[in-house]
Amino acid sequence: MDLYEKIVKGEEKISLVGLGYVGMPIAVAFARKVKVVGFDLNQEKIKLYQDGIDPTNEVGNDVIAKTSVAFTADPSKLKEAKFHIVAVPTPVNPDHTPDLSPVEGASRILGQNLTKGSVVVFESTVYPGVTEDICVPILEKESGLKCGTDFKIGYSPERINPGDKVHRLETITKIVSGMDEETLDTVAKVYELVVEAGVYRAESIKVAEAAKVIENSQRDINIAFMNELSIIFHKMNIDTKAVLEAAGTKWNFLKFMPGLVGGHCIGVDPYYLTYKSEELGYHSRIILAGRRINDEMGKYVAESLVKNLIKTDVPVKSAKVAILGFTFKENCPDTRNTKVIDIYHELGEYGIKPLVVDPAADAAEAKRLYGITFGTMEDIRDMDAVIIAVAHKQFLELRKEDITRFYNSDRKRKVLMDLKGLLDRQEYMTEDYLYWRL
């Protein structure tokens, strides 16, 4: 009987190493079919899951409360499983070089608890070669086992989109790969238990790693082009969104929008690819150019706000500014690698300390990572300018009378920065508003 059959019959378990926005939904999905051990080093997070609380909002408290996942912070529990999925983050260092410490640490812990006959599948986004050249030696050293003889490896890049209730693990085609045909077949069949959209069998682990890293690099470049167009069209006094809507009537026009590019994928993955290319002697031109544009958008927004304050005769240093939204994307509590912080810091250079309000964000995380304490919607009063930075559903419900109450009534013109183009532009193209959007 092979490993897949033993998993289906409940004789062997699957483990998830890393229970964040990616790993936890995977664990929950598999637990509907088979026995699952969910491991994370964060004991506070594990306690929340054990208490039926979903801090990520990815599946909801009800689902967490009912799931059969055996949540644990005890690494020795990994010995109970034979099929291991590693889903830890792969961030970048301040100098934009890959920070592989999370995936190396996970490999170390897993290696110390690896048993013969196991299959280890990595989901973390990496540059081609990391799984085989970096993770495997760690697994072998810590376990004393030999890859290919005592255990096998595979790679299946995560494609979960945090906060997205439509494109989920079950509905997105899953790329799978393995070190040999037997492993590939096992990995494919295991994922087919939960992925309704089916799997795509990549011809090698490196191909699967490369496919993942270019998906987000492509998106990053396209958004960078939109951001550059936004800068150009503002100089021409043309509304970018109106231009894109007109161009979008052509069947093959790619419908991207300008915006802040944060989070753990689009704003990070291109640096993994360019790092590896630099190692091989090739300096990226297109990818890094896109990264530079996107990394500078927070500063561009802040500078545009300052110019608009000056246009409305508001003293910059004493200006009262509110930022609505702090997470890296809409309807998601995650504040890690948010680019809204760039706006906040840049405004600080002008002597402005903005009030930040985000009813959807993890307030404790924002305080820990950035030292920022959120205000409430009721605190937004007597403002000189308001920046709607994130398209949370709470902000979509705002009417013009709600927004007008945010401002100092003595101001003849109210500066409103609608970064995501949520509002009806025509409604604010009036004498009492200076409306600006990317």
Side-chain angles (χ1 to χ4, degrees), residues 63 71 128 150 163 223 240 314 377 384 396 405 435:
V63 173
F71 293 113
D150 301 318
I223 296 173
T240 305
V314 174
M377 296 296 286
D384 298 306
L396 291 171
R405 282 195 289 270
Y435 176 83

Side-chain angles (χ1 to χ4, degrees), residues 126-146:
V126 293
Y127 57 79
V130 167
T131 300
E132 293 158 295
D133 302 339
I134 294 177
C135 297
V136 166
I138 295 173
L139 290 171
E140 290 183 326
K141 179 183 177 182
E142 298 295 335
S143 67
L145 302 175
K146 183 68 176 174

